[in-house]
Amino acid sequence: MASANLIVIFIAIVILALFLIIRFNVNSLFVLTGALFLFGLLSGTALQDITTAFRSGFGSTAGYIGIVIAEGVMLAVIMERTGAMKSAATYAAAFIPKDKRPFAICAFALFLAFFIPPEAAFILSAPFVSHFSTRKIPSTLIFVILSVSIYLGYALLPFNQSVLNSASVLNAQVWKVFIIALISITFALFCGYLWIKFVLLKEDLPDFENLFTEEEYFTTNSVYPLEALLPPVITLLLMMLRGISLFSIKPFGTGDFFTFALFVGDPIFAFFIGIVCSLLLVKRIHFREALSKWLFEAMVRSSSIILFACAGGAFGTMVKNSSLMNYIVTLISGTQLSIFVPFVIAAVVKLLTGSFAIAVVTASSVVAPSLAILNIDPVLSVAAVGSGAFMVSFINDPFFWIVSGFSGMDEKYTLKIYSLLALIMGLASFAIVAIGSIFIG
């Protein structure tokens, strides 16, 4: 089938999916699965390749993000049941004035972005920041502020493998990428703050019941704040160890300790250790119940988030395996839009595949040979790619479903609040890059 026709097919399927989900509240897993099969059939994909793409996308997402979601909720449920969650969150919140909490969350989120993948960072911190809500700032906005801040930092700061690879491919100096990232992040966060203050806080948002809506379980279970912080802090430190080991300067070398750091800091292992540590907070009388009923409750709570995230990943894999992505990328790269080329390519690939890593790799690889022709500075190109890949978060993005599931927002409000805010902040970040390209080239 002509690649141009695939654009029409993709747009029509996406509109139909959104219509069914938002207007008629059709189950998102059913819609995403149907969208995958429909796109595969209409695009002329071989029948066996359609089911292969589904299994590949679903399985790869479940094998990493799915397990981390389940473990993160297990850790949260145990801490919730023992009273450790409330104890730790109340202790931390006491040091931060209520009107400064959104800024503190932004700062903490950017700190996490230095070391930890956004999915793991959000899953670890979301249960705690949910307690930072106030009468003026509901938990829904707390979750959204946390999510966009983490992802923005991850997309632009040169401390994760995707951005470092982009800098390497585009031959950009890492320290310069870091400076541009700080400027872009600051302006994007400022624009996000204005949007929240003058638009979102003026709206009458529904009172969503998030995944960690507080319940009282065992009031006799007294957990000291510092003791309560131990499981999440150990989990955080292990993942930070991995993040530091992957820095471009390789502070731990590439020997045995480097291998050890990669293993213990893998989110799957780090969260498991966190769960083990949290079990130490459980009183003996409740220990057997914690190992069975509490962990099963966590599986039930997390199951829909995992399934939606995996279905989104499968749909993205189906689109990625078609000729649509290559056609659009080739079309855009042939234009003379200068600094807009890496930005638009990254945004389009993220929209099609839902994958930040694929968007960054594709945009960087396509633009690299044409930097001189397009008269683009390599450092600004890295920032443009990160801004484009960050600003699009849609129903085929697993992170979209993590934010939706943890915050309790339905799909309509996740698009309206989270996705729109990410779009605004991504455009603001790129505005800095575009202004910089006027003076640097």
Side-chain angles (χ1 to χ4, degrees):
M1 177 177 289
S3 296
N5 294 336
L6 287 180
I7 298 177
V8 177
I9 292 172
F10 177 78
I11 294 174
I13 289 175
V14 167
I15 292 174
L16 176 62
L18 290 176
F19 185 72
L20 291 173
I21 292 172
I22 295 173
R23 180 66 179 83
F24 293 104
N25 293 319
V26 180
N27 182 271
S28 299
L29 176 63
F30 176 78
V31 172
L32 287 169
T33 304
L36 181 149
F37 288 136
L38 186 59
F39 181 83
L41 293 171
L42 294 180
S43 65
T45 304
L47 298 181
Q48 65 271 22
D49 291 340
I50 296 175
T51 52
T52 298
F54 182 89
R55 292 192 179 97
S56 173
F58 197 98
S60 62
T61 306
Y64 171 61
I65 295 177
I67 298 298
V68 172
I69 292 172
E71 290 181 324
V73 177
M74 286 179 183
L75 174 61
V77 166
I78 293 173
M79 295 193 63
E80 179 185 83
R81 287 274 188 165
T82 57
M85 183 75 71
K86 183 177 180 180
S87 176
T90 303
Y91 176 77
F95 292 95
I96 309 169
K98 289 185 177 181
D99 59 336
K100 298 293 188 291
R101 288 179 184 178
F103 302 101
I105 290 171
C106 281
F108 180 63
L110 291 175
F111 169 77
L112 294 177
F114 275 78
F115 311 101
I116 306 174
E119 298 86 359
F122 181 82
I123 291 167
L124 178 65
S125 53
F128 297 92
V129 301
S130 65
H131 290 265
F132 281 40
S133 61
T134 65
R135 185 170 52 85
K136 292 183 178 180
I137 307 174
S139 61
T140 299
L141 287 183
I142 294 292
F143 281 114
V144 171
I145 291 169
L146 176 69
S147 60
V148 293
S149 300
I150 288 174
Y151 219 114
L152 179 66
Y154 182 82
L156 294 176
L157 292 170
F159 295 102
N160 65 79
Q161 211 57 48
S162 295
V163 180
L164 287 173
N165 287 341
S166 177
S168 176
V169 169
L170 294 169
N171 197 27
Q173 293 179 287
V174 173
W175 71 270
K176 291 184 178 180
V177 173
F178 178 69
I179 298 298
I180 294 295
L182 288 181
I183 298 172
S184 298
I185 288 171
T186 301
F187 184 65
L189 287 175
F190 175 70
C191 291
Y193 164 76
L194 294 179
W195 181 260
I196 291 173
K197 182 176 182 179
F198 294 107
V199 178
L200 294 181
L201 286 178
K202 302 296 183 182
E203 294 187 13
D204 186 20
L205 297 176
D207 186 19
F208 296 104
E209 185 175 329
N210 66 66
L211 196 65
F212 311 104
T213 298
E214 185 179 331
E215 296 181 43
E216 295 294 336
Y217 293 107
F218 305 113
T219 55
T220 58
N221 211 37
S222 178
V223 180
Y224 293 108
L226 294 181
E227 183 184 13
L229 284 169
L230 189 62
V233 167
I234 289 177
T235 305
L236 173 61
L237 290 176
L238 289 176
M239 290 192 288
M240 284 178 60
L241 183 65
R242 176 186 172 90
I244 293 171
S245 70
L246 291 173
F247 283 178
S248 57
I249 59 174
K250 290 291 185 291
F252 302 136
T254 56
D256 291 340
F257 188 77
F258 172 75
T259 304
F260 172 78
L262 291 184
F263 171 72
V264 298
D266 189 293
I268 294 175
F269 183 81
F271 271 101
F272 178 78
I273 295 299
I275 294 170
V276 173
C277 292
S278 69
L279 289 171
L280 299 177
L281 304 177
V282 180
K283 287 190 173 182
R284 183 179 300 178
I285 190 174
H286 301 303
F287 195 75
R288 291 184 64 180
E289 184 181 6
L291 290 175
S292 56
K293 291 184 178 180
W294 296 5
L295 295 183
F296 180 76
E297 178 189 337
M299 290 174 60
V300 173
R301 287 199 202 183
S302 62
S303 58
S304 61
I305 306 174
I306 295 171
L307 289 173
F308 292 154
C310 292
F315 181 55
T317 300
M318 181 72 256
V319 177
K320 180 192 72 174
N321 291 348
S322 71
S323 59
L324 176 59
M325 189 176 79
N326 290 333
Y327 172 75
I328 294 180
V329 168
T330 303
L331 194 66
I332 298 171
S333 61
T335 63
Q336 297 297 318
L337 296 175
S338 188
I339 194 64
F340 287 88
V341 172
F343 173 73
V344 174
I345 290 177
V348 169
V349 174
K350 178 68 180 300
L351 174 65
L352 294 175
T353 66
S355 170
F356 174 83
I358 292 175
V360 170
V361 169
T362 303
S364 302
S365 302
V366 170
V367 171
S370 308
L371 285 178
I373 299 174
L374 295 171
N375 192 29
I376 308 176
D377 180 75
V379 174
L380 294 178
S381 296
V382 175
V385 168
S387 299
F390 158 76
M391 78 169 191
V392 180
S393 187
F394 199 49
I395 58 175
N396 59 350
D397 178 6
F399 193 70
F400 173 93
W401 294 107
I402 293 174
V403 175
S404 174
F406 276 60
S407 67
M409 290 187 291
D410 58 23
E411 294 84 349
K412 174 184 176 180
Y413 277 95
T414 308
L415 288 167
K416 181 180 179 180
I417 300 175
Y418 162 69
S419 296
L420 182 57
L421 182 59
L423 177 65
I424 292 169
M425 293 173 65
L427 290 172
S429 173
F430 177 69
I432 295 296
V433 177
I435 294 171
S437 68
I438 298 175
F439 303 99
I440 305 173

